[in-house]
Amino acid sequence: MGDVLLVLAFSGGGTRAAALSYGILEELRDTRFAVDGSERRLLDEVDLITSVSGGSFTSAYYGLFGDRIFTDFEPRFLRRNLQRRLRLELLRPRNWVRLAGSFFDRSELAVQLYDQDVFDHTTFADLQNANGPFIQINTTDLTVGNRFTFHQPQFDLICSDLSRLEVARAVAASSAVPGLFTPTTLRSWAGECGFKRPAWLDEALHDRKRSPRRFRNAQVVDRYLEGTRRYIHLLDGGIADNLGLRGPLDNVVLVGGLRRRFDQLGGLRPRHIAVIVVNAEVHPKPSFSLVPTSPSLATIVNAVADVGIYNYNYNFETLELMRESLSNWVSELPPDAHGRRVQTYLIDVAFDALEDPRERDFFNAIGTSFNLDDETVDRLIEVGRRLLRESPDFQRLVASLKAVPAQ
């Protein structure tokens, strides 16, 4: 981390979210600024990417392969019909026997497909050795109803080594839409490895009156250490948080604030903290709202699933919590040697920012799938770049860094 702490949050939404996030990476790649006489890309300032569901394909791919994403991610993922590939695998006779067993299901089939066709059989050890941004892939723990993050601090709680796990397994869990995919299951060895409880956890558990949010987060962490659960069942990360923002926010709250978190990282003090939220949330007009008859059971189930993942009010509150936190961090962090306070930027890239109603309607009508035509992919990439470039807070960040935006 240098003068700029740059966090990207990639939301869920299938290929729609993956393509929108990819457009953001392209725009950051092409936005350059000078540091000590040399030119840098704003993309190189990214420190953390936190993601859920469809956005996790983009974050994991960039974390593993860096700039290679700009040469082969489109043909390997964005412009491929992965849904058809998965259906074909389901129809293969050799998979019928495996699917009839107890330990092989549709999610396991998706893991194998993503592992072979997208992520080149890589593990989290490969992700760490890539030396790119820190990647947090988020899912939902069905037992506690809270996010579960694929990073080592979370796996320490269950006495497990994340480095040997396939990246494809985390992405499959993050994008496992309820009903279409089965939960991904992890084994917990909590209480069997001598893991030492961190001091901040007990401190947080005694901090109920002063910080109820910190206390609640500590309770969730503490449940993993009880050792009473042998298995953890994970589904789509969008169920708990479709923006992927809660993880970083919760981690800061748990340790006692951003200043203490920076102290843990060696006393770092950035001059700029920027959070770019790539929100592929859509609001299609449901057909059942146009007729007086009651919707079918299947329609109700799908609608309830969509409400759980694309909950406008919850996403709005998450963004407001992020905005409030950034404001608090300005006063929490001390000024630098020149008396300057940290500058913060919350950049929300969302279809709602489009002024043309016909254009908004086009993007809101894009379904959540892993099969989009080339024209739609092109438009998603372009609109991601444009929305970022036109964001007032992004323009403010560019001006502060004296950067040259993409043309």
Side-chain angles (χ1 to χ4, degrees):
M1 193 196 314
D3 279 349
V4 182
L5 168 60
L6 181 53
V7 177
L8 308 182
F10 293 166
S11 81
T15 301
R16 182 184 69 246
L20 191 67
S21 301
Y22 177 76
I24 299 304
L25 295 181
E26 281 197 338
E27 188 68 21
L28 294 175
R29 176 200 61 189
D30 296 338
T31 303
R32 301 170 182 272
F33 64 103
V35 179
D36 298 329
S38 62
E39 190 177 71
R40 287 179 60 84
R41 310 177 306 174
L42 195 52
L43 180 62
D44 297 323
E45 299 299 312
V46 175
D47 299 286
L48 165 68
I49 306 179
T50 174
S51 62
V52 299
S53 199
S56 292
F57 284 89
T58 311
S59 70
Y61 204 90
Y62 180 66
L64 282 165
F65 306 122
D67 276 11
R68 179 180 137 186
I69 195 173
F70 301 120
T71 60
D72 61 12
F73 187 61
E74 290 187 55
R76 293 193 74 182
F77 178 73
L78 293 181
R79 301 182 189 277
R80 288 188 65 191
N81 188 341
L82 277 187
Q83 289 186 182
R84 183 174 61 192
R85 283 279 288 117
L86 189 57
R87 282 197 298 268
L88 289 174
E89 289 298 318
L90 286 169
L91 293 174
R92 290 183 184 274
R94 67 182 179 88
N95 286 325
W96 296 349
V97 177
R98 302 167 75 194
L99 288 166
S102 302
F103 299 103
F104 192 87
D105 51 30
R106 282 169 292 168
S107 286
E108 193 65 31
L109 199 60
V111 170
Q112 293 190 5
L113 176 62
Y114 303 160
D115 196 37
Q116 174 181 312
D117 288 12
V118 183
F119 296 110
D120 295 343
H121 305 289
T122 50
T123 66
F124 275 85
D126 298 308
L127 187 59
Q128 181 174 347
N129 293 333
N131 293 319
F134 188 50
I135 306 296
Q136 291 186 343
I137 298 173
N138 299 285
T139 63
T140 300
D141 184 337
L142 292 180
T143 301
V144 297
N146 203 67
R147 61 164 185 85
F148 182 96
T149 303
F150 280 80
H151 66 157
Q152 190 55 50
Q154 181 90 60
F155 276 65
D156 287 342
L157 302 176
I158 60 174
C159 291
S160 187
D161 179 11
L162 177 62
S163 67
R164 294 182 290 177
L165 198 75
E166 312 99 311
V167 172
R169 189 170 300 279
V171 175
S174 182
S175 56
V177 177
L180 295 179
F181 292 97
T182 48
T184 293
T185 301
L186 300 178
R187 179 72 162 86
S188 173
W189 286 272
E192 299 179 20
C193 64
F195 174 72
K196 186 178 180 181
R197 293 171 62 90
W200 53 257
L201 178 58
D202 289 323
E203 178 185 288
L205 288 170
H206 291 89
D207 199 20
R208 183 171 192 168
K209 289 185 178 180
R210 191 172 68 88
S211 179
R213 178 174 285 115
R214 188 184 186 199
F215 172 77
R216 164 61 182 158
N217 291 337
Q219 279 187 311
V220 173
V221 172
D222 198 42
R223 290 187 64 178
Y224 288 104
L225 296 177
E226 291 174 353
T228 56
R229 287 195 295 153
R230 295 293 88 188
Y231 297 95
I232 296 168
H233 303 285
L234 307 172
L235 271 178
D236 194 306
I239 301 171
D241 170 24
N242 197 50
L243 296 181
L245 274 179
R246 293 279 175 163
L249 281 170
D250 289 349
N251 291 337
V252 170
V253 169
L254 270 171
V255 300
L258 190 65
R259 183 172 183 175
R260 183 179 290 188
R261 182 63 178 145
F262 283 162
D263 288 341
Q264 292 175 342
L265 296 173
L268 300 173
R269 291 291 189 275
R271 288 184 52 208
H272 306 273
I273 300 177
V275 180
I276 300 177
V277 183
V278 187
N279 183 3
E281 173 186 299
V282 292
H283 306 288
K285 299 173 182 177
S287 58
F288 61 80
S289 66
L290 304 175
V291 295
T293 55
S294 298
S296 66
L297 179 59
T299 301
I300 293 172
V301 170
N302 289 332
V304 170
D306 285 345
V307 168
I309 295 176
Y310 304 116
N311 189 321
Y312 174 80
N313 289 327
Y314 186 78
N315 290 344
F316 176 81
E317 292 300 330
T318 298
L319 280 168
E320 288 304 296
L321 178 60
M322 184 76 251
R323 198 182 312 277
E324 178 185 330
S325 298
L326 287 171
S327 177
N328 292 337
W329 293 343
V330 171
S331 56
E332 180 183 342
L333 296 174
D336 65 12
H338 302 285
R340 296 174 299 191
R341 289 283 182 182
V342 64
Q343 298 295 307
T344 62
Y345 316 81
L346 179 58
I347 301 155
D348 181 19
V349 176
F351 301 131
D352 284 349
L354 294 170
E355 294 183 1
D356 185 341
R358 290 174 299 179
E359 192 176 24
R360 275 200 314 273
D361 288 345
F362 171 82
F363 289 107
N364 275 318
I366 300 174
T368 300
S369 71
F370 289 115
N371 174 30
L372 296 180
D373 61 74
D374 287 347
E375 180 186 354
T376 300
V377 170
D378 287 338
R379 291 188 65 172
L380 283 162
I381 295 171
E382 186 278 330
V383 81
R385 298 191 62 154
R386 175 158 48 97
L387 286 171
L388 178 60
R389 197 163 52 242
E390 294 174 353
S391 164
D393 258 28
F394 183 71
Q395 293 175 358
R396 188 164 60 88
L397 172 64
V398 167
S400 297
L401 300 175
K402 297 181 173 59
V404 179
Q407 300 300 318

